[in-house]
């Protein structure tokens, strides 16, 4: 993609979580997240809320890259259909727009740790 101002890609929450943009193409975003101590649950695993936030961030970036960063979108629904515990390392979320409608977009995401599937998710976003 063309150069997009960092402020449109890296929100304050993106930075707070410690996300890292891996790649961004039209309708596809890859965002990485390292398992840092503040992202662990009481069992020492990656907190489900951090994983959900990673998915929502990657999906939002995929939507923005599909309809343009000059428009905003809002999450209507985001659900994780599969989840596996992560104890260490880094995960990579790949979100793809599978239905780029004018008013709504449907997005799928896979979160991987190496070659292992950590989570699968689907979301619907409204173009504002």
């Amino acid at each position: 993609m063309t150069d997009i101002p960092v402020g449109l890609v890296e929100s304050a929450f993106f930075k707070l979580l410690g996300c890292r943009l891996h790649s961004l193409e039209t309708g596809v975003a890859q965002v990485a997240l390292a398992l840092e101590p503040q992202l662990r649950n009481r069992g020492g695993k990656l907190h489900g809320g951090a994983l959900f936030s990673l998915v929502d961030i990657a999906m939002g970036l995929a939507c923005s890259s599909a309809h343009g960063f000059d428009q905003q979108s809002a999450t209507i629904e985001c659900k994780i259909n599969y989840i596996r515990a992560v104890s260490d390392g880094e995960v990579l979320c790949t979100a793809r727009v599978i239905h780029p409608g004018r008013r709504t977009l449907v997005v799928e995401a896979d979160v991987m740790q190496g070659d292992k599937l950590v989570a699968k998710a689907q979301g619907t976003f409204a173009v504002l």
Side-chain angles (χ1 to χ4, degrees), residues 13 17 33 46-59 75 77-81 83 93 109 111 119 121-123 125:
F13 190 61
L17 281 176
L33 181 65
L46 178 62
H47 192 284
L51 184 64
F52 182 87
S53 294
L54 169 66
V55 166
D56 191 48
I57 287 169
M59 286 181 168
T75 308
E77 176 187 33
C78 184
K79 63 181 179 177
I80 295 180
N81 300 318
I83 191 168
C93 180
V111 181
Q122 186 172 26
F125 290 74

Side-chain angles (χ1 to χ4, degrees), residues 49-121:
L51 184 64
F52 182 87
S53 294
L54 169 66
V55 166
D56 191 48
I57 287 169
M59 286 181 168
L61 286 171
C63 288
S64 293
S65 70
H67 61 60
F69 280 84
D70 58 330
Q71 294 184 1
Q72 293 184 334
S73 58
T75 308
I76 296 173
E77 176 187 33
C78 184
K79 63 181 179 177
I80 295 180
N81 300 318
Y82 169 82
I83 191 168
R84 180 179 71 78
V86 176
S87 300
D88 58 12
E90 182 176 88
V91 294
L92 179 67
C93 180
T94 302
R96 290 179 178 80
V97 174
I98 60 171
H99 175 71
R102 289 184 332 135
R103 299 309 248 162
T104 60
L105 298 99
V106 178
V107 186
E108 287 185 342
D110 290 332
V111 181
M112 304 291 292
Q113 186 177 39
D115 62 350
K116 294 181 182 175
L117 181 66
V118 171
K120 287 189 79 60

Side-chain angles (χ1 to χ4, degrees), residues 21-36:
L21 183 64
H22 187 267
S23 67
L24 185 62
E25 300 296 329
T26 303
V28 180
Q30 288 189 314
V31 180
L33 181 65
L35 180 53
E36 298 294 338

